[in-house]
Amino acid sequence: ENYETHKERALIESEDLREMYLIENKTRKQIAEHYNCSEVLIKQRLKEFGIRRSNKIMENRNVERCS
């Protein structure tokens, strides 16, 4: 891995990611924009930290998008 990857990893804390994704209900894209990194990196970190939304939350998000 290169320096940038290590630098990005250090900047994304598990607690911050959990709060943005689960509490603030931000999308991976919004979080990636916040950290100025790729959406793929956010997806990897969410998986690495074991952060997942429940199906019920995802269903609610889909309903809101259709409204």
Side-chain angles (χ1 to χ4, degrees):
E1 292 182 313
N2 63 27
Y3 172 75
E4 284 301 314
T5 304
H6 287 294
K7 183 178 173 187
E8 287 176 350
R9 181 169 303 182
L11 293 175
I12 301 173
E13 297 290 335
S14 170
E15 298 81 16
D16 295 337
L17 194 54
R18 187 177 305 276
E19 182 170 333
M20 282 191 273
Y21 195 62
L22 299 179
I23 308 300
E24 297 174 16
N25 211 27
K26 292 189 177 187
T27 64
R28 290 190 305 231
K29 183 177 180 182
Q30 289 171 319
I31 297 169
E33 288 170 359
H34 172 83
Y35 282 111
N36 195 28
C37 67
S38 71
E39 194 173 338
V40 172
L41 181 66
I42 297 302
K43 184 178 179 180
Q44 290 170 341
R45 291 298 167 265
L46 289 168
K47 186 174 181 180
E48 181 182 315
F49 296 141
I51 301 170
R52 294 184 65 225
R53 287 189 172 131
S54 72
N55 289 336
K56 192 171 185 75
I57 292 172
M58 292 308 292
E59 288 168 10
N60 290 342
R61 287 173 57 84
N62 290 337
V63 169
E64 289 170 9
R65 286 183 186 156
C66 295
S67 301

